[in-house]
Each structure stands twice: as structure tokens, then as C-alpha cells.
Amino acid sequence: MENKAMLVLDSQSALGEGPHWDHKKKILYWVDIIGAKLHIHDPEKNDNHTIQFDQFISAVVPEQPGQLILAMQHGLYRYNIALNRLTKICNPEEDKVSNRFNDGKCDSKGSFWAGTMDLDGKKDCGSLYRFDTDGRITKVLSPVSISNGIAWSPDKKFMYFIDTPTNKVSTYNYEETTGNISYHGTGAEIPVEMGSPDGMTIDAEGMIWVAHWGGAMVSRWDPYSSKLLDTIQIAAKNVTSCTFGGENLDELFITTARDGLNEDDLAAYPQSGGLFKVKTSVKGLPANHYGSQ
């Protein structure tokens, strides 16, 4: 496996995040949270189309053709690409004006899981929610400080979740039929000197890949033994998330941020905020869409 990623797009994003590979369309959705931008990247055409919004956008998943579900500053929204129409679905934290949604993904049943956090990252201000396909939204975990990476094991028995300040990947027992979870243990513990765990994905072997904020890397872990298996160096200090994509799902797309860096950091990591990619020796799993799979 290559241990260094290549720059795909020098986008200089303030807070690049939330990569989602649409295996049906062979395109990558990703966002710049602070820039309030949704990016649609087509590797085949080497094209990156950007849509500007007027509020933070943190996660994106496809729904039906031409329609996306977005996690944003003021709640969950449905977005029609062709009509450029944004429709609010709900905001379970209408009363928490200093909170915003952060990372989010869909499970195998098509439910969208997305968590919240305080705009300044204050402790224990957020929660993790599950937005089911029937329109119901359920608070699943609370309190959470910075709700971040989420993934499910290939056998659908476990859910992995990152609350960044804990420096851990927590493992939960997961019931696919109900969406219920119960705490199981620690899947990985990130040493402080390696930075803080941010976004995450999982490969077909059930190993988790974690982006390191402040650590300039992505790491691969065995969540059953909590053993570190591999690291990939990124030419950006604040690495935010990753997902498998490409024709064979063996390319890891990696988002990064310029936010939180001083002049010395930016001089050392001038490509910070860019979109990166690395070829891997393992394959990922197709990302789930919202609604029927």
C-alpha cells in the first residue's frame, strides 16, 4: 500500500469534510463546512462542481436521483440539484442556536445518522440522531461533545463512533432491524501525539480508517483487537475524513482543512484544505443512500 497520498484538488478549503462516494454515479460528494460549499467531484472528467449555500453544511448523502439529504447548521435538509432547491426537513435542536450538525452517514436500512456539536466545540453540548426513512428522528446518544466519524461493520453487528475529544473509536452493538445500539467497548484509542480522531470509514475486511486532526495522517485499525495496522501520511496537518471510492472502491479519498492552522503550519503544509487520494491494497464498501437501498 502506498503510504503517502497525492493531491487531487488544491481547493484551499477552510474545513473540507464529509466525503461520500456515490458508487452508482461514480462521483464524490464532499463539503467545506465553514465555506458553506457542497462539492461534486467527477474524477473521470477531472471536474469539481461547487454549490454555495448560506449556512454551514457538514454532511451529504444521496436520496433518490437528483436529490440529496444534507446535514447543515440549522438542521436536516433535502436538496434538489437540478432545481437548486433547498427544503428544510427538521431541526431537533431548534432551541440550541449555538449548535450545528457535523458528520453523518446512512446505515444499511437507509436511515441517516448525524450528530451535533457546539459551534465552539464546548463539551457535552451535542447529540447523535437517527433520521429514519419514515421521517422520524430519534436521539440515539447524548451528551456528545464533537460528534464525528461513524461506520458499521460488514456483518452489521457493530457500529463505530467517534466523539473527537475522547480520542477513541467507541464500539456499539448494533441491531440492524431496529437501529438500536448499546455500548460494547473501545475499538481504537488514538495516542495524543498522533492528533485527534475526526472522520472515519471502514473497509471490506472490517478494519477502520481514521482521519487525524492535527496528525497529518490517516490510520488503519483492527477494531476487534484495537491494534494499529497502518498509517498514510497526508501533506496537510488537519486531516478531517476519508471514504473509499473509484471504479473498484480501492481508492481512499481524503478531506483536509486550513482552519485552526497558523502561518508556520500553512508554510509547512501549503496544500492544507485540499482533497487527496491514495490507492489501497484493500477495498471499501459501497456507501449507503438515504431511503430504500
Side-chain angles (χ1 to χ4, degrees):
M1 190 180 304
E2 299 170 41
N3 67 351
K4 194 170 182 191
M6 60 171 271
L7 182 70
V8 173
L9 195 68
D10 190 12
S11 58
Q12 306 274 302
S13 299
L15 188 50
E17 258 285 9
H20 177 106
W21 178 258
D22 186 335
H23 57 280
K24 296 175 182 175
K25 290 189 170 182
K26 305 285 190 280
I27 54 174
L28 181 80
Y29 297 104
W30 62 290
V31 303
D32 179 352
I33 297 178
I34 294 174
K37 294 179 173 74
L38 167 64
H39 296 290
I40 305 174
H41 178 68
D42 185 336
E44 193 65 35
K45 296 178 181 173
N46 195 26
D47 176 62
N48 195 77
H49 176 62
T50 302
I51 300 159
Q52 182 71 53
F53 292 100
D54 61 0
Q55 60 172 298
F56 295 156
I57 170 173
S58 58
V60 50
V61 291
E63 189 184 15
Q64 55 205 39
Q67 207 142 267
L68 307 171
I69 301 292
L70 308 179
M72 305 187 81
Q73 182 176 349
H74 304 304
L76 301 181
Y77 290 75
R78 186 170 271 113
Y79 179 66
N80 184 301
I81 299 172
L83 300 177
N84 189 27
R85 187 172 63 207
L86 189 67
T87 308
K88 189 171 184 177
I89 299 169
C90 65
N91 184 3
E93 297 189 343
E94 205 81 57
D95 57 328
K96 297 184 179 179
V97 291
S98 62
N99 270 16
R100 69 165 173 84
F101 267 95
N102 201 38
D103 215 348
K105 278 182 192 164
C106 286
D107 63 18
S108 57
K109 298 268 288 183
S111 295
F112 183 46
W113 297 61
T116 58
M117 60 175 281
D118 178 83
L119 287 167
D120 297 319
K122 289 178 190 165
K123 198 172 187 297
D124 293 344
C125 290
S127 299
L128 177 66
Y129 296 88
R130 187 187 71 239
F131 177 50
D132 290 325
T133 56
D134 61 5
R136 283 184 300 176
I137 190 159
T138 305
K139 186 186 288 186
V140 182
L141 285 177
S142 196
V144 169
S145 295
I146 300 178
S147 185
N148 239 317
I150 190 166
W152 290 267
S153 61
D155 63 9
K156 305 180 181 74
K157 289 183 179 177
F158 298 106
M159 186 187 93
Y160 304 106
F161 176 69
I162 291 172
D163 182 1
T164 293
T166 67
N167 266 64
K168 292 177 181 175
V169 179
S170 295
T171 304
Y172 291 84
N173 300 303
Y174 169 70
E175 295 177 13
E176 186 187 22
T177 50
T178 61
N180 292 337
I181 60 170
S182 59
Y183 184 71
H184 181 83
T186 299
E189 190 149 2
I190 313 300
V192 176
E193 61 270 19
M194 289 175 71
S196 302
D198 199 319
M200 168 175 57
T201 193
I202 195 162
D203 62 35
E205 295 176 3
M207 304 297 109
I208 51 177
W209 298 66
V210 179
H212 291 238
W213 179 272
M217 72 176 84
V218 171
S219 58
R220 184 183 188 230
W221 300 78
D222 181 341
Y224 301 98
S225 67
S226 302
K227 184 182 175 186
L228 176 62
L229 303 174
D230 206 352
T231 58
I232 297 169
Q233 301 306 307
I234 314 296
K237 187 175 182 180
N238 289 340
V239 185
T240 57
S241 194
C242 54
T243 194
F244 284 95
E247 190 68 40
N248 300 309
L249 292 178
D250 61 354
E251 296 175 316
L252 193 72
F253 287 92
I254 301 151
T255 52
T256 66
R258 294 176 77 79
D259 187 46
L261 299 182
N262 58 34
E263 285 183 24
D264 290 344
D265 292 329
L266 290 170
Y269 298 100
Q271 295 175 342
S272 290
L275 176 68
F276 293 81
K277 181 173 77 171
V278 65
K279 187 90 164 174
T280 64
S281 56
V282 294
K283 292 187 178 185
L285 298 164
N288 297 312
H289 292 195
Y290 178 75
S292 57
Q293 298 302 301

